[in-house]
Amino acid sequence: MTEPWADCRRLSHVDGLVAGLSALCGMLGPKVLPFGPGGHALVPRSVAETATSAWFGGVLSERSAEPEQPLTDELLSAAGLVALRRPVPPGPRVVETDLWWATGIAWVRLGASAALAEDCLAHLETRSLLGNLLVAGQLADALTGQLTVDALLLGGSRPTPALLHEAHRQITETDRALSRLRGAGGFLADGPGAAVHLSELLADVYLGGTP
């Protein structure tokens, strides 16, 4: 993992998904707003408010707020995120750059997933459930899922669309399994389910579909 991506993962793990995403956006350069293949963007509020350039798969254009459509959502607003949509400009995207960005998003999501695993472990300890073989097995499966993503992203080969789709799918499955281990509270808007939902939205926006 390159050092900047390590920082993104660490920040997402320690300070939350938005902190990791902010660091990743900063890697594009100052005042750049990244849009996914479908013309959607999901970024920290500070990025949406200050960006002067729109980024479409590595192709930069001057940003004009006029054609942008804000997508309001209470959960996004509470998290400090802004969702936007605008028409995709004509012309090809730079595939390698899209893959680079999707790899960074995967590291950000993996950091948040690691934080969720720690939260889940602490929850299970307080309820003396770690000795339950079924629960222990489900937790082990979830942690194995995270290690699988690590291996996919650190495999040494250049990322491919199939590899990245598999990595994001694995993160989604792992996070959903961890949410279930938190019980009903794992799916509440003010519980860990909110972070899981936002993480899936990131993949949906920048991978071009829910993995």
Side-chain angles (χ1 to χ4, degrees), residues 18 42-46 49 71-83 194 197-198 201:
V18 177
L42 181 59
V43 293
R45 185 179 296 116
S46 59
E49 291 177 347
L71 306 174
T72 57
D73 181 282
E74 290 185 6
L75 190 59
L76 296 181
S77 180
L81 292 170
V82 172
H197 176 63
L198 296 176
L201 281 179

PDB file of all heavy atoms in Angstrom, residues 18 42-46 49 71-83 194 197-198 201:
ATOM      1  N   VAL A  18     -15.538   9.743   6.866  1.00  0.00           N
ATOM      2  CA  VAL A  18     -15.424  11.062   6.243  1.00  0.00           C
ATOM      3  C   VAL A  18     -13.979  11.564   6.293  1.00  0.00           C
ATOM      4  O   VAL A  18     -13.491  12.179   5.337  1.00  0.00           O
ATOM      5  CB  VAL A  18     -16.383  12.056   6.923  1.00  0.00           C
ATOM      6  CG1 VAL A  18     -16.215  13.454   6.333  1.00  0.00           C
ATOM      7  CG2 VAL A  18     -17.833  11.590   6.755  1.00  0.00           C
ATOM      8  N   LEU A  42     -20.057  11.835  -4.093  1.00  0.00           N
ATOM      9  CA  LEU A  42     -20.351  11.754  -2.658  1.00  0.00           C
ATOM     10  C   LEU A  42     -19.076  12.145  -1.934  1.00  0.00           C
ATOM     11  O   LEU A  42     -18.101  11.382  -1.905  1.00  0.00           O
ATOM     12  CB  LEU A  42     -20.783  10.335  -2.283  1.00  0.00           C
ATOM     13  CG  LEU A  42     -21.158  10.112  -0.810  1.00  0.00           C
ATOM     14  CD1 LEU A  42     -22.311  11.020  -0.395  1.00  0.00           C
ATOM     15  CD2 LEU A  42     -21.524   8.655  -0.558  1.00  0.00           C
ATOM     16  N   VAL A  43     -19.071  13.347  -1.386  1.00  0.00           N
ATOM     17  CA  VAL A  43     -17.833  13.907  -0.837  1.00  0.00           C
ATOM     18  C   VAL A  43     -18.121  14.626   0.479  1.00  0.00           C
ATOM     19  O   VAL A  43     -19.264  14.984   0.774  1.00  0.00           O
ATOM     20  CB  VAL A  43     -17.200  14.914  -1.828  1.00  0.00           C
ATOM     21  CG1 VAL A  43     -16.721  14.211  -3.087  1.00  0.00           C
ATOM     22  CG2 VAL A  43     -18.183  16.021  -2.174  1.00  0.00           C
ATOM     23  N   PRO A  44     -17.072  14.860   1.267  1.00  0.00           N
ATOM     24  CA  PRO A  44     -17.252  15.678   2.458  1.00  0.00           C
ATOM     25  C   PRO A  44     -17.770  17.077   2.086  1.00  0.00           C
ATOM     26  O   PRO A  44     -17.448  17.611   1.018  1.00  0.00           O
ATOM     27  CB  PRO A  44     -15.837  15.748   3.054  1.00  0.00           C
ATOM     28  CG  PRO A  44     -15.167  14.508   2.557  1.00  0.00           C
ATOM     29  CD  PRO A  44     -15.719  14.297   1.178  1.00  0.00           C
ATOM     30  N   ARG A  45     -18.525  17.656   3.002  1.00  0.00           N
ATOM     31  CA  ARG A  45     -19.123  18.964   2.720  1.00  0.00           C
ATOM     32  C   ARG A  45     -18.060  20.003   2.363  1.00  0.00           C
ATOM     33  O   ARG A  45     -18.273  20.839   1.474  1.00  0.00           O
ATOM     34  CB  ARG A  45     -19.917  19.427   3.944  1.00  0.00           C
ATOM     35  CG  ARG A  45     -20.689  20.731   3.714  1.00  0.00           C
ATOM     36  CD  ARG A  45     -21.485  21.147   4.956  1.00  0.00           C
ATOM     37  NE  ARG A  45     -22.518  20.164   5.250  1.00  0.00           N
ATOM     38  CZ  ARG A  45     -22.535  19.432   6.359  1.00  0.00           C
ATOM     39  NH1 ARG A  45     -21.573  19.573   7.255  1.00  0.00           N
ATOM     40  NH2 ARG A  45     -23.502  18.554   6.577  1.00  0.00           N
ATOM     41  N   SER A  46     -16.923  19.958   3.021  1.00  0.00           N
ATOM     42  CA  SER A  46     -15.868  20.955   2.760  1.00  0.00           C
ATOM     43  C   SER A  46     -15.384  20.872   1.320  1.00  0.00           C
ATOM     44  O   SER A  46     -15.054  21.896   0.701  1.00  0.00           O
ATOM     45  CB  SER A  46     -14.704  20.748   3.730  1.00  0.00           C
ATOM     46  OG  SER A  46     -14.164  19.441   3.591  1.00  0.00           O
ATOM     47  N   GLU A  49     -18.064  22.350  -1.048  1.00  0.00           N
ATOM     48  CA  GLU A  49     -18.219  23.803  -0.928  1.00  0.00           C
ATOM     49  C   GLU A  49     -17.042  24.580  -1.522  1.00  0.00           C
ATOM     50  O   GLU A  49     -17.194  25.759  -1.862  1.00  0.00           O
ATOM     51  CB  GLU A  49     -18.395  24.178   0.546  1.00  0.00           C
ATOM     52  CG  GLU A  49     -19.737  23.713   1.120  1.00  0.00           C
ATOM     53  CD  GLU A  49     -19.873  24.018   2.607  1.00  0.00           C
ATOM     54  OE1 GLU A  49     -18.854  24.362   3.244  1.00  0.00           O
ATOM     55  OE2 GLU A  49     -20.994  23.913   3.124  1.00  0.00           O
ATOM     56  N   LEU A  71     -28.454  16.092  -4.060  1.00  0.00           N
ATOM     57  CA  LEU A  71     -29.324  14.995  -3.649  1.00  0.00           C
ATOM     58  C   LEU A  71     -29.387  15.020  -2.124  1.00  0.00           C
ATOM     59  O   LEU A  71     -28.421  14.655  -1.451  1.00  0.00           O
ATOM     60  CB  LEU A  71     -28.768  13.661  -4.147  1.00  0.00           C
ATOM     61  CG  LEU A  71     -28.488  13.600  -5.659  1.00  0.00           C
ATOM     62  CD1 LEU A  71     -27.810  12.290  -6.024  1.00  0.00           C
ATOM     63  CD2 LEU A  71     -29.790  13.749  -6.445  1.00  0.00           C
ATOM     64  N   THR A  72     -30.485  15.511  -1.605  1.00  0.00           N
ATOM     65  CA  THR A  72     -30.584  15.711  -0.163  1.00  0.00           C
ATOM     66  C   THR A  72     -30.900  14.396   0.551  1.00  0.00           C
ATOM     67  O   THR A  72     -31.654  13.564   0.042  1.00  0.00           O
ATOM     68  CB  THR A  72     -31.673  16.735   0.165  1.00  0.00           C
ATOM     69  OG1 THR A  72     -32.920  16.299  -0.394  1.00  0.00           O
ATOM     70  CG2 THR A  72     -31.329  18.088  -0.427  1.00  0.00           C
ATOM     71  N   ASP A  73     -30.320  14.230   1.699  1.00  0.00           N
ATOM     72  CA  ASP A  73     -30.526  13.031   2.500  1.00  0.00           C
ATOM     73  C   ASP A  73     -30.107  13.377   3.932  1.00  0.00           C
ATOM     74  O   ASP A  73     -28.998  13.861   4.161  1.00  0.00           O
ATOM     75  CB  ASP A  73     -29.686  11.869   1.952  1.00  0.00           C
ATOM     76  CG  ASP A  73     -29.882  10.594   2.745  1.00  0.00           C
ATOM     77  OD1 ASP A  73     -29.300  10.479   3.844  1.00  0.00           O
ATOM     78  OD2 ASP A  73     -30.624   9.718   2.267  1.00  0.00           O
ATOM     79  N   GLU A  74     -30.987  13.124   4.894  1.00  0.00           N
ATOM     80  CA  GLU A  74     -30.695  13.496   6.278  1.00  0.00           C
ATOM     81  C   GLU A  74     -29.479  12.755   6.821  1.00  0.00           C
ATOM     82  O   GLU A  74     -28.682  13.316   7.569  1.00  0.00           O
ATOM     83  CB  GLU A  74     -31.913  13.202   7.163  1.00  0.00           C
ATOM     84  CG  GLU A  74     -33.091  14.128   6.908  1.00  0.00           C
ATOM     85  CD  GLU A  74     -34.226  13.881   7.876  1.00  0.00           C
ATOM     86  OE1 GLU A  74     -34.040  13.070   8.803  1.00  0.00           O
ATOM     87  OE2 GLU A  74     -35.287  14.496   7.697  1.00  0.00           O
ATOM     88  N   LEU A  75     -29.336  11.497   6.451  1.00  0.00           N
ATOM     89  CA  LEU A  75     -28.215  10.706   6.947  1.00  0.00           C
ATOM     90  C   LEU A  75     -26.894  11.258   6.422  1.00  0.00           C
ATOM     91  O   LEU A  75     -25.909  11.378   7.158  1.00  0.00           O
ATOM     92  CB  LEU A  75     -28.385   9.247   6.529  1.00  0.00           C
ATOM     93  CG  LEU A  75     -27.435   8.239   7.161  1.00  0.00           C
ATOM     94  CD1 LEU A  75     -27.574   8.256   8.681  1.00  0.00           C
ATOM     95  CD2 LEU A  75     -27.708   6.838   6.623  1.00  0.00           C
ATOM     96  N   LEU A  76     -26.875  11.610   5.134  1.00  0.00           N
ATOM     97  CA  LEU A  76     -25.656  12.181   4.559  1.00  0.00           C
ATOM     98  C   LEU A  76     -25.317  13.504   5.224  1.00  0.00           C
ATOM     99  O   LEU A  76     -24.159  13.773   5.563  1.00  0.00           O
ATOM    100  CB  LEU A  76     -25.834  12.394   3.048  1.00  0.00           C
ATOM    101  CG  LEU A  76     -26.042  11.162   2.180  1.00  0.00           C
ATOM    102  CD1 LEU A  76     -26.174  11.570   0.718  1.00  0.00           C
ATOM    103  CD2 LEU A  76     -24.887  10.187   2.351  1.00  0.00           C
ATOM    104  N   SER A  77     -26.337  14.324   5.411  1.00  0.00           N
ATOM    105  CA  SER A  77     -26.110  15.631   6.014  1.00  0.00           C
ATOM    106  C   SER A  77     -25.566  15.494   7.432  1.00  0.00           C
ATOM    107  O   SER A  77     -24.640  16.212   7.832  1.00  0.00           O
ATOM    108  CB  SER A  77     -27.430  16.418   6.017  1.00  0.00           C
ATOM    109  OG  SER A  77     -27.250  17.685   6.596  1.00  0.00           O
ATOM    110  N   ALA A  78     -26.134  14.564   8.188  1.00  0.00           N
ATOM    111  CA  ALA A  78     -25.678  14.355   9.569  1.00  0.00           C
ATOM    112  C   ALA A  78     -24.230  13.888   9.603  1.00  0.00           C
ATOM    113  O   ALA A  78     -23.493  14.180  10.549  1.00  0.00           O
ATOM    114  CB  ALA A  78     -26.590  13.349  10.258  1.00  0.00           C
ATOM    115  N   ALA A  79     -23.821  13.159   8.578  1.00  0.00           N
ATOM    116  CA  ALA A  79     -22.452  12.640   8.535  1.00  0.00           C
ATOM    117  C   ALA A  79     -21.460  13.665   7.989  1.00  0.00           C
ATOM    118  O   ALA A  79     -20.253  13.414   7.999  1.00  0.00           O
ATOM    119  CB  ALA A  79     -22.411  11.378   7.680  1.00  0.00           C
ATOM    120  N   GLY A  80     -21.956  14.784   7.483  1.00  0.00           N
ATOM    121  CA  GLY A  80     -21.056  15.780   6.914  1.00  0.00           C
ATOM    122  C   GLY A  80     -20.704  15.502   5.470  1.00  0.00           C
ATOM    123  O   GLY A  80     -19.682  15.964   4.966  1.00  0.00           O
ATOM    124  N   LEU A  81     -21.578  14.748   4.785  1.00  0.00           N
ATOM    125  CA  LEU A  81     -21.348  14.417   3.380  1.00  0.00           C
ATOM    126  C   LEU A  81     -22.368  15.130   2.489  1.00  0.00           C
ATOM    127  O   LEU A  81     -23.475  15.468   2.922  1.00  0.00           O
ATOM    128  CB  LEU A  81     -21.470  12.906   3.165  1.00  0.00           C
ATOM    129  CG  LEU A  81     -20.377  12.043   3.796  1.00  0.00           C
ATOM    130  CD1 LEU A  81     -20.746  10.573   3.730  1.00  0.00           C
ATOM    131  CD2 LEU A  81     -19.040  12.271   3.088  1.00  0.00           C
ATOM    132  N   VAL A  82     -21.971  15.329   1.245  1.00  0.00           N
ATOM    133  CA  VAL A  82     -22.846  15.959   0.253  1.00  0.00           C
ATOM    134  C   VAL A  82     -22.875  15.071  -0.986  1.00  0.00           C
ATOM    135  O   VAL A  82     -21.827  14.613  -1.458  1.00  0.00           O
ATOM    136  CB  VAL A  82     -22.334  17.361  -0.125  1.00  0.00           C
ATOM    137  CG1 VAL A  82     -23.128  17.929  -1.294  1.00  0.00           C
ATOM    138  CG2 VAL A  82     -22.412  18.291   1.076  1.00  0.00           C
ATOM    139  N   ALA A  83     -24.086  14.813  -1.497  1.00  0.00           N
ATOM    140  CA  ALA A  83     -24.249  14.043  -2.736  1.00  0.00           C
ATOM    141  C   ALA A  83     -24.702  14.983  -3.844  1.00  0.00           C
ATOM    142  O   ALA A  83     -25.587  15.818  -3.645  1.00  0.00           O
ATOM    143  CB  ALA A  83     -25.266  12.927  -2.538  1.00  0.00           C
ATOM    144  N   ALA A 194     -25.373   3.020  10.112  1.00  0.00           N
ATOM    145  CA  ALA A 194     -25.287   4.254   9.319  1.00  0.00           C
ATOM    146  C   ALA A 194     -23.964   4.306   8.555  1.00  0.00           C
ATOM    147  O   ALA A 194     -23.930   4.632   7.359  1.00  0.00           O
ATOM    148  CB  ALA A 194     -25.427   5.464  10.227  1.00  0.00           C
ATOM    149  N   HIS A 197     -24.014   1.875   5.723  1.00  0.00           N
ATOM    150  CA  HIS A 197     -24.810   2.395   4.599  1.00  0.00           C
ATOM    151  C   HIS A 197     -24.000   3.412   3.787  1.00  0.00           C
ATOM    152  O   HIS A 197     -23.993   3.356   2.549  1.00  0.00           O
ATOM    153  CB  HIS A 197     -26.087   3.035   5.144  1.00  0.00           C
ATOM    154  CG  HIS A 197     -26.940   3.682   4.110  1.00  0.00           C
ATOM    155  ND1 HIS A 197     -27.528   2.982   3.072  1.00  0.00           N
ATOM    156  CD2 HIS A 197     -27.304   4.987   3.928  1.00  0.00           C
ATOM    157  CE1 HIS A 197     -28.207   3.814   2.307  1.00  0.00           C
ATOM    158  NE2 HIS A 197     -28.087   5.027   2.797  1.00  0.00           N
ATOM    159  N   LEU A 198     -23.329   4.314   4.463  1.00  0.00           N
ATOM    160  CA  LEU A 198     -22.534   5.327   3.759  1.00  0.00           C
ATOM    161  C   LEU A 198     -21.390   4.677   2.982  1.00  0.00           C
ATOM    162  O   LEU A 198     -21.069   5.096   1.859  1.00  0.00           O
ATOM    163  CB  LEU A 198     -21.984   6.340   4.760  1.00  0.00           C
ATOM    164  CG  LEU A 198     -23.026   7.185   5.496  1.00  0.00           C
ATOM    165  CD1 LEU A 198     -22.349   8.082   6.521  1.00  0.00           C
ATOM    166  CD2 LEU A 198     -23.855   8.010   4.519  1.00  0.00           C
ATOM    167  N   LEU A 201     -22.781   3.292  -0.133  1.00  0.00           N
ATOM    168  CA  LEU A 201     -23.090   4.364  -1.086  1.00  0.00           C
ATOM    169  C   LEU A 201     -21.840   4.816  -1.831  1.00  0.00           C
ATOM    170  O   LEU A 201     -21.886   5.094  -3.041  1.00  0.00           O
ATOM    171  CB  LEU A 201     -23.717   5.552  -0.351  1.00  0.00           C
ATOM    172  CG  LEU A 201     -25.184   5.449   0.026  1.00  0.00           C
ATOM    173  CD1 LEU A 201     -25.634   6.716   0.762  1.00  0.00           C
ATOM    174  CD2 LEU A 201     -26.051   5.243  -1.224  1.00  0.00           C
TER     175      LEU A 201
END
